[in-house]
Structure formats: C-alpha cells, structure tokens
Amino acid sequence: MTGTEHTPVFDSHAHLAGADGATERLLRTMDSNGISRAVVVAGGAVDPDRLSRQIIEGGHVVSDADNDAVLAGCARSGGRLVPFFFANPHRHCADYRAAAGAFRGLKLAPSVHGVGLLDPRTKALVELADAWRHGVYLHCLQRPGFGVAELVRLAGEFPTVTFVLGHGGVGDMDLYGVELIRFRPNVLLETSGCLSVVVRTALDRLGSDRVLLGTEYPLQHPAVELAKYRALELPDAVWHRVTWQNTCRLIGEDVP
C-alpha cells in the first residue's frame, strides 16, 4: 500500500452522545487519526453493561436516542459529521417521518430495542427510508428473527434500499454472514469490531465496493480499526473505496 497515509478517510459509523463537549472530542479524535469525515448516530440509548447483557440474553429498552443532539453536533462540525436517524421501532414511524429530511440515513438497533428484522414495525421504517433514499445501517444477532438470514430476506423485499450490516456481522468472525449476503448486492458490510480475516474475506467475496471502514467510536478507538486495514496492505484504489468512496455513495454524494 502506498500513498494512503495522506488520503482522506470517511468513517462510516461512529456515535455522538449529547454530553457537553462530545462533538469537540470526536472531532479532535478524528483529527489525531487522519479522519476527515464521519457518519454519526446517537449514542447512549442504553448503557454498555445493559446492552452487553441484552446481546447475550435478550431483552430490550423502549427509550429514544437523542437525535436532536446529533443534529446539533453535526451543525457545529462544518460538514464533517453526517447524521443518521436512530429510530425507535416502538414509536413506529412517527418520529422518523417528522425528522427524516434533516438526516442522511437510518440506523436500526435490534439489540437495543428488541424488534426483529422482519417485524412490520421494522419494515415500515425501511419503507420510509426507501422513500427518502436513505441507506439503512443495522445490527444482527444470533437469535431467531434477528440474524443475517433475516437481513437477506428484508433486503430482498426492499431491493432499492442500501443496507449496511454493521460490525462485520454476528460476533468477531462471521464468515458465514459474509457468504449469506454475497448474492444480495444491496447489502454492504461495515467492519468495526470484527477480525481482519473477515475484512479480507469480504473484500474477496463481496468486492471492494461493498465494504466500509467504520470505527464504532467511542466504544472502539479509531486507531484500532485503521490499523486493521493498514495491516492488510491494500492497493491504493481499494483503500480509497473502503475508506472514502463507498461511504460517499451510501449518503448519496458524488464520488470524487
């Protein structure tokens, strides 16, 4: 890999909480790691200890994420931060319908709200995302109704929606998940938290147009995710796609 240290990086998945100074801390972290822009969703809808337990044992919350704080932080970022709406399916579509025009995509978190991928409430949100031409970022779980197979079915029902399977699928080595989405071209893979073998496998099987670098800041430090990609010694063109161009496409921007 040559020349990539000075190319722009677009983080496809970070969190922005509503705490004082959160936007400034994120921007400083981005600057110190050579990240020019980031897609951000609200953080803090559930505390990390409870979320960890819900991922393993099930359960859910019905609380809302602070989407207003995300918009406020993005407004202060000079265009560097791009907001996705963190939907609460327990509210059906009311909040997203009212605010969708201010956002560039939709985030669903079945591990937080406990609503399955084929649930009518999920489908109603995706239908609205389709109307707004929003990409849909979501997580999968190893649980009936929440798995990658259900995502594949959902993506088949909404072929004009771009879905992003977050965190490299389920667990840290979901090569099976990569294979499941292989023939569903409207599903991309974001790779924060997974092993480097998943990134390599995804690039080989899906192609570099369907892989996105994300960081999961602040739960993961951006330097960790960047190191994972640098260790793969990607050709410059591939690096530029996964760290910049693919996220531009996701939010509907022209690719330089």
Side-chain angles (χ1 to χ4, degrees):
M1 182 175 64
T2 60
T4 58
E5 296 301 319
H6 302 291
T7 59
V9 172
F10 201 154
D11 178 358
S12 70
H13 184 66
H15 289 270
L16 181 59
D20 290 345
T23 299
E24 290 68 30
R25 285 193 295 274
L26 170 56
L27 292 172
R28 287 196 299 270
T29 302
M30 289 166 59
D31 288 341
S32 65
N33 287 275
I35 298 173
S36 301
R37 303 178 71 192
V39 170
V40 292
V41 300
V46 60
D47 72 78
D49 285 315
R50 178 162 186 171
L51 177 59
S52 177
R53 185 169 67 251
Q54 288 183 185
I55 289 171
I56 302 301
E57 297 182 351
H60 68 277
V61 299
V62 297
S63 54
D64 296 325
D66 194 346
N67 290 298
D68 290 339
V70 168
L71 285 182
C74 290
R76 297 197 303 274
S77 73
R80 296 182 65 189
L81 303 180
V82 179
F84 270 37
F85 186 88
F86 195 153
N88 180 353
H90 297 286
R91 291 188 177 276
H92 301 280
C93 292
D95 290 352
Y96 181 39
R97 181 178 291 108
F103 291 83
R104 306 287 291 278
L106 175 67
K107 159 72 182 291
L108 298 171
S111 59
V112 173
H113 291 117
V115 176
L117 298 180
L118 300 176
D119 187 287
R121 292 168 291 181
T122 297
K123 292 183 181 182
L125 286 163
V126 174
E127 185 174 10
L128 188 54
D130 194 10
W132 280 96
R133 297 184 180 179
H134 282 172
V136 178
Y137 180 101
L138 52 78
H139 309 142
C140 287
L141 302 168
Q142 191 54 47
R143 191 174 304 143
F146 296 83
V148 179
E150 284 82 6
L151 169 58
V152 170
R153 288 178 57 189
L154 182 65
E157 293 185 32
F158 294 93
T160 59
V161 174
T162 298
F163 292 87
V164 180
L165 172 56
H167 308 314
V170 178
D172 56 11
M173 200 182 76
D174 193 5
L175 303 183
Y176 180 54
V178 173
E179 188 62 26
L180 284 174
I181 68 172
R182 183 175 183 179
F183 300 107
R184 187 60 67 192
N186 59 322
V187 181
L188 313 181
L189 187 74
E190 182 273 321
T191 59
S192 58
C194 71
L195 298 178
S196 59
V197 67
V198 177
V199 181
R200 171 55 68 192
T201 301
L203 290 169
D204 290 343
R205 296 184 186 177
L206 307 179
S208 58
D209 288 338
R210 294 177 59 192
V211 179
L212 304 168
L213 176 141
T215 68
E216 185 64 357
Y217 172 93
L219 295 180
Q220 177 82 301
H221 196 284
V224 177
E225 296 301 324
L226 287 165
K228 183 165 68 183
Y229 273 84
R230 288 178 176 130
L232 294 174
E233 298 185 337
L234 303 176
D236 287 357
V238 173
W239 171 274
H240 192 47
R241 286 188 202 105
V242 299
T243 66
W244 187 264
Q245 292 179 329
N246 295 343
T247 303
C248 288
R249 291 192 187 95
L250 176 66
I251 63 172
E253 291 187 356
D254 293 335
V255 176

